[in-house]
Amino acid sequence: MTQQTHVALADTPLTIAGRDFQSRLLVGTGKYKDFTETGAAIAQSGAEIVTFAVRRTNLGQDADAPNLLDAISPDRYTLLPNTAGCYTAKDAVRTCRLARELLDGHNLVKLEVLGDDHTLYPNVVETLKAAETLLADGFDVMVYTSDDPIVARELEAMGCCAIMPLGSLIGSGHGIQNPHNVRLIVEQSKVPVLVDAGIGTASDAAMAMELGCDGVLLNTAIAHAREPLRMANAMKLAVEAGRDAFLAGRMPRRQSAAPSSPFAGRING
Amino acid sequence: MSIQIRLNGEPHTLSTGLTAADLVEQLGLSGRRIAVEINEEIVPRSQHADTRLVDGDHVEVVHAIGGG
């Protein structure tokens, strides 16, 4: 008998708005110590899609100060501008249009419209309004939303290219609080579903993938780990492990034990 | 002669007759990856040199920063 060797197992790419990606981990660029750490952690994560925020320039600052887009080059990554900090559809739409100008016409955006600054919970009424305007204006909209399957269905029907329910509150690290809802959204959706927000550690990311999500978007879990680079690596492996576990199909749960070694032939038989 | 505009939410005084491109240059941001909006309308980079600022304009100059 020949010795078996490790084989590479096939998977389909993650396809978002007609573009294929090998990595199913998407990362943010906030809360890092500096741009060097940002760039290193993101490289370590293997992410191909990287989200960033749009803000007023600091007037009077040194014009030669380093720029985020020097660390996260648009040539290397698919940049995903987000509307973090927007509380109305109008502000979110303005922000997306500014981002499109900033990135020379790039039209993939992460829409998030928040309800209040205590929970940062999505305001779905404003989110739906903003999505409608952005889609009519030619944007590809990945949308941050609640874990409500009916809202998710509505956003998909409007034409959003990815549905991104929260696992738990942004920056909370509380993991996936309602896995049953996430699974309902996964089961009904034809566009990719990504858990966005709430991931605290590697097992949370693996859980999202085991639920059948197409990807995970996270930021703080890496940026605020004691060692961001190591956590970036952990998240990469967790997303891959969770994805493989989902594709493999888990064993059925049983109420009682079932021995892995055969009963027959025991020396005490 | 000068005009008063609001620049990134703050009052800002400019010489009359300047364009968006002149403003961007005065701010030391020429060639940087920024986007300009005047009175809530995007001004594409290709039109900065042709867009004259007038008294009372609300101008936003934005860039990319870290965020999740």
Side-chain angles (χ1 to χ4, degrees):
Chain A
M1 187 175 153
T2 56
Q3 202 67 261
Q4 294 290 303
T5 54
H6 182 268
V7 294
L9 297 167
D11 189 4
T12 51
L14 169 63
T15 305
I16 294 176
R19 290 191 61 177
D20 288 349
F21 301 93
Q22 301 310 312
S23 171
R24 292 172 178 274
L25 174 60
L26 288 68
V27 294
T29 51
K31 303 180 181 174
Y32 285 99
K33 193 175 66 193
D34 52 36
F35 288 146
T36 306
E37 188 183 71
T38 312
I42 289 170
Q44 193 72 32
S45 77
E48 295 168 274
I49 303 177
V50 177
T51 186
F52 69 88
V54 176
R55 289 291 180 275
R56 288 169 166 167
T57 52
N58 296 321
L59 301 176
Q61 73 169 18
D62 177 9
D64 293 327
N67 185 292
L68 175 70
L69 299 184
D70 298 333
I72 306 298
S73 164
D75 301 327
R76 174 168 175 184
Y77 297 102
T78 294
L79 295 182
L80 180 65
N82 64 55
T83 63
C86 291
Y87 291 83
T88 63
K90 184 184 164 197
D91 285 350
V93 169
R94 277 176 71 193
T95 300
C96 288
R97 287 177 176 153
L98 282 162
R100 181 165 60 184
E101 165 67 10
L102 198 58
L103 296 178
D104 306 317
H106 170 84
N107 61 5
L108 182 68
V109 292
K110 171 183 156 178
L111 171 64
E112 55 180 294
V113 189
L114 306 173
D116 66 46
D117 58 10
H118 176 57
T119 64
L120 302 180
Y121 206 81
N123 179 331
V124 295
V125 176
E126 292 296 306
T127 301
L128 287 160
K129 271 196 253 175
E132 189 171 20
T133 306
L134 291 169
L135 291 162
D137 196 12
F139 283 94
D140 290 322
V141 179
M142 301 176 71
V143 59
Y144 171 65
T145 185
S146 63
D147 59 13
D148 178 336
I150 307 306
V151 172
R153 185 184 297 159
E154 194 67 34
L155 288 162
E156 179 175 357
M158 290 169 75
C160 291
C161 66
I163 306 298
M164 305 203 289
L166 50 74
S168 51
L169 301 184
I170 292 173
S172 72
H174 281 163
I176 300 175
Q177 285 298 304
N178 198 339
H180 307 288
N181 273 26
V182 172
R183 192 192 297 274
L184 285 173
I185 294 171
V186 166
E187 285 171 356
Q188 74 182 13
S189 301
K190 293 190 176 57
V191 296
V193 175
L194 297 90
V195 164
D196 176 5
I199 300 295
T201 188
S203 53
D204 298 333
M207 184 199 222
M209 299 308 292
E210 288 177 22
L211 288 168
C213 287
D214 299 280
V216 173
L217 196 164
L218 57 87
N219 186 154
T220 313
I222 295 177
H224 278 186
R226 198 173 56 239
E227 288 187 46
L229 251 64
R230 194 175 290 276
M231 188 58 87
N233 197 54
M235 290 300 183
K236 174 181 190 287
L237 297 173
V239 167
E240 290 171 5
R243 174 68 178 171
D244 265 346
F246 170 72
L247 292 175
R250 61 156 296 139
M251 61 164 279
R253 287 184 171 85
R254 298 169 56 101
Q255 285 303 315
S256 55
S260 297
S261 307
F263 218 65
R266 291 171 304 147
I267 57 168
N268 57 348
Chain B
M1 281 288 289
S2 64
I3 58 165
Q4 278 285 330
I5 62 168
R6 279 194 91 77
L7 176 59
N8 286 2
E10 302 289 337
H12 192 88
T13 306
L14 277 181
S15 309
T16 306
L18 294 188
T19 64
D22 296 328
L23 175 63
V24 168
E25 193 182 338
Q26 279 190 4
L27 297 172
L29 296 171
S30 298
R32 307 290 293 185
R33 212 176 252 280
I34 51 145
V36 176
E37 184 195 62
I38 300 179
N39 302 329
E40 302 190 4
E41 294 290 336
I42 298 294
V43 181
R45 207 160 299 146
S46 60
Q47 293 172 25
H48 285 187
D50 304 324
T51 304
R52 209 164 289 284
L53 294 161
V54 299
D55 198 53
D57 274 349
H58 284 225
V59 181
E60 297 287 345
V61 182
V62 303
H63 65 158
I65 66 145

